[in-house]
Amino acid sequence: MQELIDQLKDKAGINEEQAIKAIEAVKDFVKSKLPPMIAGNVDTWFSGMAAQPKKTDAAEDFLD
């Protein structure tokens, strides 16, 4: 999730707190447009983004 926060900060020119709020707003919007049985997957997807380590080495990307 940090990668998304960083991109929002860079591209939108906002601070970290604003970026986090923007992500939450988008997540809530998407969930509101989905049937309840599927909306929980949005939370899972966003929590999965937070669990992934940030890659810093091009060789690691190639090996994945």
Side-chain angles (χ1 to χ4, degrees):
M1 177 100 78
Q2 189 61 47
E3 183 179 357
L4 179 56
I5 291 169
D6 291 342
Q7 284 191 23
L8 279 171
K9 287 168 45 180
D10 291 341
K11 292 182 180 182
I14 58 177
N15 66 37
E16 185 146 349
E17 182 180 340
Q18 292 168 324
I20 292 168
K21 287 180 182 180
I23 292 167
E24 288 294 323
V26 169
K27 183 174 77 168
D28 291 343
F29 175 79
V30 170
K31 285 173 55 175
S32 75
K33 299 299 180 185
L34 295 172
M37 63 192 128
I38 299 173
N41 292 336
V42 175
D43 289 325
T44 302
W45 184 71
F46 274 88
S47 67
M49 287 178 59
Q52 294 176 357
K54 192 173 184 179
K55 296 185 182 204
T56 57
D57 184 51
E60 289 180 67
D61 289 340
F62 175 77
L63 293 174
D64 285 344

